[in-house]
Amino acid sequence: MSVTVRASAKINLHLGVGAPREDGFHPLDTVYQAISLYDDVTVSETDTDSLTVTGSAHVDVAGVPTDATNIAMRALAEAPCGSAHDVRIAKQVPVAGGMAGGSADGAAALLAHDRLHDLRQSDDLLLAQAARLGSDVPFSLVGGTARGRGRGELVEPIVDHGTWWWVVVPAAVGLSTPEVYRHFDRLHPDAPAEPAEPAELLAALASGEPVRLARALHNDLQEPAIDLRPELGDLIARGEAEGALRGMVSGSGPTCVFLCDSQEGSMEVLTALSASYDVVLSAVGPVAGAHVLG
Ligand code: C5P
């Protein structure tokens, strides 16, 4: 018997970052949205632990560890039940792209393990296990559109009346999240302890109006990411010139996402950017959090 769980990529519609805490993590006030790029994780019982990672053409699976350090294997170790597992990860979410692909795999493995052994652990218990795996993992379980505080792990769903169309441009080479945070610290040695709040963004989500959402998008990690990868600034300008309402770096980057006014609008931007960029994807949000595929 095996269980397959699907978990999605995330983008940050708002990412307010404060000065580092004593534990080295940065206090965040963020708004996550789950969008329609997916990793599928299949878990079954076996004699010895094994892990296989495959991916869509645009996913560089060479960058994904296939030993016990893989977040899916760490997830199974979080809730040990004495069994060994075979884990198969099929990736569509870019690796080291600022879209929480690893977090999606961790969340999917936690849920798959729970259902495989019919443990039916409480949401609170799964969320606590998820938080130990990484700051974005609880959101990968919850999905939809949600506010994240603390280091991002304290997640609370928020009102979102929109269907938002995105064009997604991954980069060939990933960026290290800790490196982008370190660069934020270098650029902002006097960052306030409290991260910026998303007041206007929350109102824009409730309005369902793309133009209003476009104006409210905000990412404090965009400046350090572009400083480390100046070509991302060119990409954002290009997408906006081709008709996107707004382009931004996703999380710590280097993936860039473009909000469009409609599905048709997103197809036009996708076609235009495809002339110059190898991989250009479209996605819609919000979508569900980690869930068992029937
Ligand atoms: O929690 P996670 O393992 O995903 O974080 C990866 C790294 O990103 C951390 O080790 C830290 O360097 C950085 N980070 C941070 N502040 C956060 C989240 C992540 O500095 N709120």
Side-chain angles (χ1 to χ4, degrees):
M1 181 183 154
S2 67
V3 174
T4 300
V5 171
R6 168 164 284 190
S8 79
K10 66 84 185 154
I11 57 181
N12 300 78
L13 308 179
H14 174 94
L15 183 47
V17 179
R21 314 189 303 201
E22 290 207 336
D23 64 3
F25 283 91
H26 294 71
L28 303 185
D29 197 340
T30 188
V31 175
Y32 297 107
Q33 182 165 93
I35 65 168
S36 59
L37 294 175
Y38 302 106
D39 282 7
D40 292 340
V41 177
T42 301
V43 180
S44 53
E45 261 190 287
T46 182
D47 297 331
T48 45
D49 283 337
S50 56
L51 171 64
T52 316
V53 184
T54 57
S56 312
H58 67 268
V59 177
D60 177 21
V61 291
V64 181
T66 52
D67 59 12
T69 65
N70 183 285
I71 190 165
M73 301 314 268
R74 291 200 287 119
L76 299 184
E78 269 296 322
C81 63
S83 306
H85 296 95
D86 177 57
V87 179
R88 288 164 195 270
I89 305 177
K91 295 190 69 65
Q92 208 188 1
V93 182
V95 175
M99 303 193 87
S103 301
D105 301 348
L110 278 180
L111 189 61
H113 174 271
D114 181 84
R115 295 301 190 263
L116 180 69
H117 298 288
D118 201 25
L119 303 176
R120 301 276 161 181
Q121 298 165 97
S122 68
D123 288 353
D124 281 353
L125 197 59
L126 286 171
L127 287 167
Q129 291 168 2
R132 285 197 290 275
L133 290 174
S135 306
D136 296 335
V137 185
F139 174 71
S140 295
L141 282 176
V142 170
T145 306
R147 190 162 178 183
R149 278 179 277 201
R151 59 181 168 88
E153 87 284 20
L154 305 173
V155 176
E156 157 194 18
I158 55 178
V159 174
D160 182 352
H161 288 140
T163 299
W164 312 102
W165 296 97
W166 301 95
V167 169
V168 177
V169 185
V173 179
L175 261 178
S176 146
T177 301
E179 192 184 336
V180 177
Y181 274 105
R182 274 198 299 275
H183 200 48
F184 172 88
D185 294 338
R186 279 194 290 271
L187 294 173
H188 299 283
D190 301 321
E194 293 297 323
E197 290 185 8
E200 172 51 26
L201 185 94
L202 297 181
L205 285 167
S207 79
E209 292 170 25
V211 171
R212 191 165 175 193
L213 187 74
R215 275 201 296 264
L217 297 172
H218 174 83
N219 180 2
D220 278 337
L221 293 184
Q222 176 157 313
E223 182 195 15
I226 292 179
D227 213 43
L228 292 167
R229 288 279 176 85
E231 66 268 27
L232 299 181
D234 302 334
L235 166 57
I236 289 171
R238 176 76 191 281
E240 291 179 347
E242 297 291 0
L245 296 175
R246 179 94 186 267
M248 73 188 308
V249 170
S250 171
S252 56
T255 306
C256 289
V257 294
F258 296 89
L259 179 64
C260 300
D261 59 1
S262 62
Q263 185 173 19
E264 299 73 49
S266 70
M267 288 304 129
E268 286 169 18
V269 172
L270 181 144
T271 304
L273 288 177
S274 297
S276 311
Y277 294 88
D278 286 344
V279 182
V280 186
L281 310 167
S282 68
V284 66
V287 298
H291 58 281
V292 176
L293 286 185

